[in-house]
Amino acid sequence: MGDPKAALAAVRGEVAKAVRGQDPVVAGVLAAMLVRGHVILEGVPGVAKTLMVKSLGRALSLEFHRIQFTPDLMPSDVTGNMVYEAKNASFRFRAGPIFANLILADEINRTPPKTQASLLEAMEERQVSVEGESHPLPSPFAVVATQNPVEFEGTYPLPEAQLDRFLLKLHVTYPAPDEEKQVLRMHNEGRDPHDLIRLGVQPVAGAAELEAAAAGVVGITVAAELIDYIWMLADQTRRSPSLALGVSPRGAAMLLNVAKAWAYLADRAFVTPDDVKSLLKPAWRHRVMLRPEVEIEGATADAVLDGIVQRVPVPR
């Protein structure tokens, strides 16, 4: 096994062969994976959310499964179920698609809450329980969910307990003009963006590199002043007159953890205030709840969090 940092940098390069202009999002997903976190990708259709996760799975040599969430999807369609074998006159567990290293939960908000809840145990405890028997999930294990911000008909908002299982909520925006022109050139040349082999996306890392990198993240230094800074930011969300629900202690800890992973990916041995500020909205935008009257006025969670960052003094 080589240098895990170099391996993860190579992973980002491989994903860029198929997905242009989304490296910050790819880095965010990698950072979450290094601290055993899950991610929501939110963006309009056609910005390569699915392709990004699929490419990441190939570059990391991980088993990848895509689950298309629909209104008629049942919990057993995700977790698996018991099937009767006549030749043995007994039941055996048939594993569902959740049993993989990297799960793409596509359009997760299109399935009813009962099916959404089937992911709770898997995401938190890395296991699935069926008929009173627990079945461990493979390691590493990460869920990347996608949802569309503009379609509301036929969708089911994720409950707070489900949202809290996700470490980050990343916005996938349109690529920069030069990057988008490269995408058009790829199509003009007849290259299929979903044919990862022909695009040259190669496996360049694996579970061993991820494990070594995760161990390296633990050793990243966080100054006492930065811990105080994160606490003050979280405390301000609880005091904000615009928010009905602020950030929990777990939410504050999740920001701390992913900031360490972000510093590791940047090849630094310590976390900076800029790391915290860069990741604050992705880590907290789905954990806070606007007051109804504030939401009616057009405010957003991001705007409220921006205001809190401006008010809290940055440690020097």
Side-chain angles (χ1 to χ4, degrees):
M1 183 183 69
D3 178 10
K5 289 182 182 177
L8 294 182
V11 166
R12 292 164 66 173
E14 292 300 310
V15 175
K17 293 178 181 178
V19 181
R20 305 289 185 176
Q22 301 294 356
D23 184 65
V25 180
V26 174
V29 176
L30 279 173
M33 292 178 69
L34 292 182
V35 291
R36 293 168 57 88
H38 310 287
V39 178
I40 297 175
L41 300 181
E42 185 174 273
V44 298
V47 289
K49 300 185 293 295
T50 299
L51 180 60
M52 184 191 309
V53 183
K54 187 177 179 181
S55 302
L56 192 58
R58 176 167 173 78
L60 285 168
S61 310
L62 299 178
E63 185 178 1
F64 166 80
H65 285 172
R66 175 178 177 267
I67 306 174
Q68 180 63 54
F69 281 75
T70 58
D72 59 351
L73 192 74
M74 300 296 291
S76 60
D77 295 329
V78 176
T79 60
N81 53 18
M82 303 298 292
V83 295
Y84 182 73
E85 289 190 330
K87 63 179 180 180
N88 299 323
S90 62
F91 287 89
R92 70 171 179 84
F93 176 67
R94 181 173 59 189
I98 195 71
F99 284 83
N101 300 118
L102 185 59
I103 303 297
L104 175 63
D106 223 357
E107 297 185 297
I108 191 173
N109 56 340
R110 287 202 174 278
T111 199
K114 182 178 180 180
T115 304
Q116 291 174 7
S118 67
L119 288 172
L120 291 176
E121 181 186 18
M123 294 172 68
E124 185 68 18
E125 301 180 33
R126 265 68 178 178
Q127 67 176 27
V128 166
S129 296
V130 176
E131 300 291 338
E133 185 176 345
S134 296
H135 304 272
L137 291 163
S139 181
F141 173 75
V143 174
V144 179
T146 70
Q147 62 180 29
N148 191 323
V150 297
E151 292 182 5
F152 297 100
E153 186 176 351
T155 61
Y156 303 84
L158 297 179
E160 288 80 8
Q162 182 77 61
L163 286 170
D164 195 50
R165 296 302 194 279
F166 288 98
L167 174 59
L168 299 178
K169 181 180 180 181
L170 300 171
H171 289 162
V172 185
T173 59
Y174 295 112
D178 288 345
E179 302 282 2
E180 190 168 359
K181 290 174 186 176
Q182 290 184 33
V183 174
L184 292 175
R185 293 188 191 103
M186 288 171 59
H187 282 273
N188 185 51
E189 293 164 3
R191 286 188 282 172
D192 182 355
H194 295 281
D195 189 345
L196 300 182
I197 295 176
R198 294 194 63 182
L199 288 176
V201 179
Q202 298 295 326
V204 292
E209 284 79 11
L210 279 176
E211 185 177 343
V217 169
V218 175
I220 298 295
T221 300
V222 183
E225 295 81 2
L226 267 184
I227 292 178
D228 291 343
Y229 180 54
I230 292 173
W231 176 83
M232 286 188 290
L233 289 166
D235 185 60
Q236 284 299 307
T237 67
R238 301 163 198 161
R239 298 173 183 270
S240 172
S242 299
L243 298 177
L245 178 67
V247 173
S248 68
R250 176 159 62 175
M254 293 299 98
L255 174 58
L256 172 67
N257 289 342
V258 76
K260 293 173 69 172
W262 195 256
Y264 178 89
L265 291 174
D267 201 18
R268 279 186 279 103
F270 54 89
V271 174
T272 68
D274 283 342
D275 294 329
V276 174
K277 289 193 287 186
S278 295
L279 292 161
L280 183 139
K281 286 189 289 188
W284 286 359
R285 60 168 54 112
H286 58 296
R287 298 178 187 273
V288 299
M289 182 184 299
L290 292 170
R291 294 191 181 278
E293 62 272 19
V294 174
E295 194 168 12
I296 290 173
E297 292 173 358
T300 64
D302 280 12
V304 173
L305 291 172
D306 280 336
I308 289 172
V309 169
Q310 292 172 5
R311 293 196 299 271
V312 175
V314 179
R316 301 295 179 187

